[in-house]
Amino acid sequence: MRGWVVTAVVTAIAAVTRFVMLGYPTDAGTPVFDEKHYAPQGYQVLTGNGIEDNPAYGLVVHPPVGKQLIAVGEAVFGYTGWGWRLSSAVFGVLLVLLVVRIVRRLTRSTLLGAIAGLLLIVDGVAFVSSRVGMLDIFMTLFVVAAFGALVRDRDDVRERLARVAAQGRIEVTALGPRLGVRWWRFGAGVLLGLACGTKWSGLYFVAFFGLLSVAFDVAARRRYGVRRPWVGTAARDVGPALYALVAVPVVVYLATYAGWFASETGVDRHAVGTDVGSGGTFSFVPDALRSLWYYSGNVLDFHAGLTNSAGNRHPWESKPWTWPMGLRPMLYYYADGESVTGCAEAGGCVKAVMLIGTPALWWLALPMLAWAAWSTVARRDWRYAAVLVGYGAGILPWFLSLDRQMYFFYATALSPFLVMGLTLVVGDVIGRARTGRRRTLGLALAAGYVAVAIANFVWLWPILTGLPITETLWQQQLWLPSWR
């Protein structure tokens, strides 16, 4: 009960921060930055029978789930800032709730769960992403929820094996027992399908989490004395894992296109017979699926063409090696001049919204990752290993296409895993003892760190929310040359 009460309090704090001034700022009542893509497409989903058909763009370049979620907010508040940002804020609040519960399960500590929630609340990346009508917060929540489901599945598998061991049946076969239907892993597959239905980069988490699930199974079979744990996992678990974490996401992904399948005017909906021949090797595949394949190929070509070598450059572009420390943030909104008032400096006010990771968190990413790697190898701490897998899925695949145009908002999915890793380190600092000088010192250090993170967030608040500030204060907020 205490755990849920603490979760509710931390989630309520998150709700206040995510919803206050949610409709501000806008560009004279219109969306800002890439909201200009997704807010109108969401409104078309709302008014156009569930599909986007925007004549301003030659191609709709992301799957439909994120736009559908934005449409829900626009159905409530109309085509306003509150409308196209409502679902993002809801997902941002739910993300905090999930991280609290996941860390509590990882550590069996309500205190550490609360610390994780507070750190995520004051992270600038999670905060700003929860207050703009873009897609990244949706995909982030789906992958974190899938991660939580797999952690819960790990515990469930060990509970089942413990019962079998207690009954003396572990050694009935060298492969170990069959584990039956695993609904938590199935749920993870559904969530990963929704992640892919939001942005294709969700596919990276499908691959990494699939390996994580199999690793959990091998470790569980070894832990309970299965004579051939690797062979047992290959025989008993890999097949069901492929079903739950590959086949199920594919089915869910296709289901997200239900509106497109049912439409007559969706982009490339009837490409077979016009842009694609109706015969050939794959003529046995239904025309609707072939049309979706053709449409997806066009989307892939679009993304593949967004390269630096092709001349596609942006002043706020960043590469993945800058993401762990947030060395090149993203400016979403900026206004200055005489039209901007409300600060103490007449005629010299600035309003800005910048996607920037709170330095008290992001500047510790590399030490955290190093400690996590050491803890995984030397201490066999599965919790750090799991967090590394989630973090790696969010960053490592991007190193394979460095010529591609990239931005810091691609790193939104790193934020919750960064917070989980930092919280595990805080747990190590506090220590396991319930009393004594070591515990007191650890708690003091943990409290001090959380206080510094909160103070850092408060300092950044004006440039995370677009409040009018003086030009002097604006310059003081930009700590690094790469932030300018």
Side-chain angles (χ1 to χ4, degrees):
M1 179 62 69
R2 182 178 63 178
W4 280 109
V5 169
V6 170
T7 301
V9 171
V10 174
T11 303
I13 296 171
V16 172
T17 63
R18 270 55 180 169
F19 282 100
V20 66
M21 299 189 304
L22 182 61
Y24 170 89
T26 62
D27 280 340
T30 66
V32 302
F33 190 61
D34 273 9
E35 288 183 333
K36 288 180 169 65
H37 297 283
Y38 307 120
Q41 289 180 1
Y43 200 70
Q44 289 162 6
V45 168
L46 178 63
T47 59
N49 298 317
I51 62 169
E52 314 100 305
D53 186 16
N54 192 337
Y57 304 99
L59 192 65
V60 179
V61 297
H62 289 294
V65 172
K67 279 72 71 71
Q68 292 165 351
L69 291 168
I70 290 172
V72 172
E74 292 173 334
V76 177
F77 289 108
Y79 195 70
T80 65
W82 267 88
W84 60 69
R85 295 171 186 161
L86 176 65
S87 295
S88 295
V90 171
F91 270 58
V93 173
L94 292 176
L95 183 62
V96 172
L97 185 151
L98 280 174
V99 167
V100 172
R101 301 307 300 179
I102 291 170
V103 171
R104 188 177 184 276
R105 178 164 287 276
L106 288 174
T107 62
R108 302 300 194 264
S109 168
T110 297
L111 172 63
L112 291 178
I115 289 175
L118 290 174
L119 292 180
L120 190 63
I121 287 172
V122 300
D123 172 39
V125 171
F127 175 77
V128 173
S129 298
S130 302
R131 294 168 54 84
V132 295
M134 293 170 58
L135 308 181
D136 304 276
I137 194 66
F138 303 130
M139 193 197 77
T140 298
L141 181 129
F142 289 135
V143 300
V144 170
F147 178 80
L150 290 178
V151 171
R152 183 64 182 85
D153 175 70
R154 173 191 178 275
D155 288 352
D156 187 54
V157 164
R158 289 180 172 240
E159 290 169 4
R160 298 184 190 191
L161 287 173
R163 287 196 296 270
V164 173
Q167 297 168 4
R169 294 189 292 111
I170 281 289
E171 296 186 358
V172 169
T173 168
L175 304 181
R178 292 182 174 86
L179 296 172
V181 178
R182 294 164 60 174
W183 290 109
W184 285 105
R185 189 171 62 180
F186 177 86
V190 172
L191 291 162
L192 289 171
L194 292 172
C196 294
T198 304
K199 296 187 79 170
W200 280 359
S201 49
L203 185 62
Y204 303 149
F205 291 89
V206 172
F208 278 66
F209 285 179
L211 295 175
L212 178 65
S213 179
V214 172
F216 280 165
D217 291 343
V218 171
R221 290 183 182 274
R222 291 183 61 185
R223 167 69 178 79
Y224 283 92
V226 173
R227 280 175 287 167
R228 304 185 67 186
W230 286 94
V231 177
T233 298
R236 306 282 203 219
D237 303 321
V238 170
L242 289 172
Y243 159 74
L245 300 178
V246 177
V248 169
V250 168
V251 172
V252 172
Y253 175 80
L254 293 175
T256 66
Y257 280 92
W260 183 88
F261 284 124
S263 75
E264 292 294 331
T265 59
V267 176
D268 292 330
R269 172 61 185 85
H270 296 284
V272 175
T274 55
D275 300 297
V276 181
S278 56
T281 304
F282 296 99
S283 59
F284 66 93
V285 178
D287 287 354
L289 291 178
R290 295 182 68 193
S291 295
L292 181 61
W293 184 264
Y294 175 78
Y295 166 47
S296 300
N298 287 335
V299 173
L300 182 61
D301 288 342
F302 170 83
H303 286 294
L306 290 176
T307 60
N308 298 145
S309 58
N312 294 292
R313 295 186 179 274
H314 191 280
W316 288 95
E317 183 179 359
S318 64
K319 296 301 183 183
W321 59 77
T322 69
W323 296 348
M325 293 182 63
L327 297 180
R328 184 59 172 163
M330 191 82 205
L331 186 65
Y332 281 173
Y333 173 84
Y334 181 85
D336 60 0
E338 295 182 356
S339 61
V340 180
T341 60
C343 70
E345 190 173 319
C349 297
V350 171
K351 293 195 299 185
V353 175
M354 179 173 279
L355 181 77
I356 187 167
T358 303
L361 304 178
W362 288 74
W363 288 6
L364 295 178
L366 296 181
M368 181 278 289
L369 293 172
W371 179 259
W374 182 85
S375 296
T376 299
V377 174
R379 299 166 57 193
R380 299 292 193 270
D381 193 326
W382 70 271
R383 303 168 305 167
Y384 281 107
V387 169
L388 285 175
V389 169
Y391 193 96
I395 189 171
L396 293 179
W398 295 103
F399 283 92
L400 300 177
S401 55
L402 291 177
D403 189 35
R404 190 189 186 283
Q405 208 174 34
M406 301 180 194
Y407 305 99
F408 186 48
F409 58 79
Y410 292 0
T412 301
L414 298 182
S415 173
F417 295 104
L418 170 65
V419 165
M420 291 181 204
L422 290 173
T423 306
L424 291 177
V425 175
V426 169
D428 287 342
V429 170
I430 293 174
R432 296 187 178 184
R434 295 186 177 275
T435 59
R437 185 176 301 176
R438 169 74 172 78
R439 176 77 170 184
T440 302
L441 178 60
L443 286 171
L445 291 173
Y449 174 64
V450 173
V452 168
I454 293 172
N456 197 178
F457 177 72
V458 171
W459 169 258
L460 293 172
W461 179 269
I463 65 171
L464 300 175
T465 58
L467 292 179
I469 56 177
T470 65
E471 175 67 28
T472 300
L473 182 55
W474 164 241
Q475 295 300 325
Q476 291 174 349
Q477 297 277 4
L478 305 177
W479 289 1
L480 299 178
S482 61
W483 290 11
R484 300 176 184 273

